[in-house]
């Protein structure tokens, strides 16, 4: 009898210690969309937009806390699984908010835009806050992740700011949502960064990068820098292989800017590329 790769992984997992990394390769049921991609069109008809996303083939979404009042009902009606949510520290510091998110089925809360490129003292303050917030989230059955932008890789006394943050935080309290595009913008190989933080990256953002974008530690890129997955210069077969090995659990497509403001068309293009790489 020939075992599928998925069956083999599950069988092998039973023989491993609980602390081992369990691979979760890309497949239809763990491929989602960050709703920031459709921010301009979802306001008018959330259900129509979310049903379009499901019709493409996506099964998960990453929500934005501030827009949950207008998207939550539509997420449920479209039969999409809400895995993670982006928000501010204020959104997540109230226990009642965390409990509500857990009741709704969320597994991850994500903090983007932390000022960790502003010196070692700032990083240590951020790390202390993230440890506290992550511990609180963990007590409610949620995992706190930090979403990376290019500035997270700025060297501080020779060491990337992100490395310092991760060394200053407990892995139980802070994990990563690694944005493959911004890793590349910062001049790093995304596959190498996934390997470096293996076991600590449950979420990835997938989007591609146009050629000719110089390496930089900021977000000052033109709208045309953002490409559908498989349409740019990032080596996505290598990224997906590294993500599998690193223990990534959810793959989230995001395209910050789309040509002519056509996010659904861009999401379909990314999906059509990624479906050829679904794990068996």
């Amino acid at each position: 009898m020939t075992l599928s790769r998925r069956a083999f992984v599950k069988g092998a997992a039973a023989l491993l210690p609980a602390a081992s990394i369990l691979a979760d390769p890309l497949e239809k049921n763990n491929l989602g969309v960050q709703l920031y991609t459709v921010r301009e069109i979802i306001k008018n008809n959330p259900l129509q937009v979310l049903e379009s996303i499901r019709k493409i083939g996506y099964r998960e979404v990453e929500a934005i806390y501030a827009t949950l009042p207008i998207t939550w009902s539509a997420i449920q009606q479209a039969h999409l699984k809400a895995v993670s949510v982006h928000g501010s520290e204020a959104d997540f510091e109230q226990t009642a908010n965390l409990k509500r998110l857990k009741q709704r089925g969320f597994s991850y809360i994500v903090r983007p835009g932390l000022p960790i490129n502003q010196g070692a003292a700032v990083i240590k303050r951020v790390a202390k806050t993230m440890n506290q917030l992550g511990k609180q989230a963990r007590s409610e059955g949620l995992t706190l992740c930090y979403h990376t932008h290019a500035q997270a890789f700025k060297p501080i006394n020779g060491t990337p700011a992100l490395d310092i943050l991760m060394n200053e935080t407990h892995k139980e309290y802070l994990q990563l949502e690694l944005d493959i595009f911004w890793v590349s913008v910062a001049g790093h190989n995304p596959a190498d960064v996934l390997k470096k933080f293996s076991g600590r990256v449950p979420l990835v953002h997938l989007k591609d990068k146009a050629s000719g974008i110089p390496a930089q530690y900021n977000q000052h890129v033109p709208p045309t820098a953002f490409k559908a997955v498989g349409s740019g210069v990032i080596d996505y077969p290598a990224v997906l292989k590294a993500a599998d090995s690193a223990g990534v659990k959810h793959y989230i497509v995001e395209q910050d800017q789309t040509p002519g403001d056509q996010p659904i068309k861009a999401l379909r293009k990314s999906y059509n590329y990624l479906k050829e790489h679904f794990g068996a």
Side-chain angles (χ1 to χ4, degrees):
M1 179 178 66
T2 301
L3 289 176
S4 71
R5 184 172 180 278
R6 164 67 68 180
F8 174 79
V9 168
K10 286 186 175 179
L15 304 176
L16 296 174
S20 298
I21 298 169
L22 301 182
D24 207 358
L26 170 70
E27 58 182 27
K28 186 172 186 174
N29 289 330
N30 64 355
L31 177 60
V33 171
Q34 161 54 259
L35 295 185
Y36 182 74
T37 308
V38 293
R39 62 194 178 280
E40 296 301 328
I41 62 173
I42 201 169
K43 298 177 289 187
N44 299 325
N45 195 329
L47 182 57
Q48 182 182 63
V49 170
L50 291 166
E51 285 181 335
S52 295
I53 287 172
R54 182 171 176 86
K55 187 175 180 180
I56 291 170
Y58 294 100
R59 293 295 178 260
E60 298 184 340
V61 293
E62 181 172 72
I64 300 169
Y65 189 89
T67 60
L68 278 176
I70 68 168
T71 60
W72 178 246
S73 177
I75 290 170
Q76 292 178 295
Q77 291 178 69
H79 304 290
L80 290 164
K81 182 180 179 181
V83 171
S84 51
V85 56
H86 274 220
S88 67
E89 184 181 343
D91 294 331
F92 300 141
E93 63 185 3
Q94 298 297 322
T95 299
N97 289 355
L98 296 177
K99 287 183 180 296
R100 188 177 304 110
L101 291 171
K102 183 63 179 178
Q103 289 168 357
R104 287 177 167 180
F106 287 95
S107 298
Y108 302 91
I109 58 173
V110 185
R111 285 285 290 111
L114 298 175
I116 68 167
N117 63 331
Q118 297 180 14
V122 172
I123 296 175
K124 289 181 178 180
R125 287 199 298 271
V126 169
K128 182 177 180 180
T129 300
M130 291 301 97
N131 275 328
Q132 294 170 342
L133 183 59
K135 184 176 183 179
Q136 183 182 4
R138 187 176 175 85
S139 71
E140 300 299 334
L142 296 163
T143 299
L144 174 65
C145 294
Y146 167 54
H147 174 275
T148 58
H149 287 101
Q151 53 265 43
F153 296 90
K154 181 179 179 180
I156 306 294
N157 298 325
T159 302
L162 181 61
D163 290 35
I164 301 173
L165 176 68
M166 300 308 279
N167 288 334
E168 290 282 332
T169 51
H170 299 291
K171 64 181 298 184
E172 295 87 356
Y173 301 151
L174 185 66
Q175 303 219 334
L176 285 176
E177 178 175 67
L178 199 68
D179 189 305
I180 301 305
F181 173 89
W182 291 116
V183 173
S184 182
V185 168
H188 292 263
N189 182 329
D192 291 343
V193 177
L194 281 162
K195 182 177 180 180
K196 175 189 286 188
F197 294 111
S198 180
R200 211 169 170 181
V201 190
L203 311 174
V204 288
H205 270 188
L206 306 180
K207 54 189 174 227
D208 220 328
K209 186 186 76 171
S211 62
I213 305 300
Q216 57 197 64
Y217 302 121
N218 59 63
Q219 295 169 237
H220 301 150
V221 298
T224 53
F226 300 94
K227 297 293 183 183
V229 181
S231 301
V233 297
I234 296 175
D235 184 356
Y236 261 99
V239 167
L240 296 175
K241 181 179 179 180
D244 185 359
S245 297
V248 170
K249 298 186 180 301
H250 301 277
Y251 300 76
I252 302 164
V253 173
E254 179 187 47
Q255 193 167 336
D256 303 43
Q257 304 289 340
T258 53
D261 192 27
Q262 300 179 52
I264 297 299
K265 183 177 180 180
L267 289 172
R268 184 177 294 108
K269 190 172 184 179
S270 289
Y271 184 87
N272 287 340
Y273 173 82
L274 290 167
K275 72 179 181 181
E276 301 300 323
H277 296 272
F278 285 167

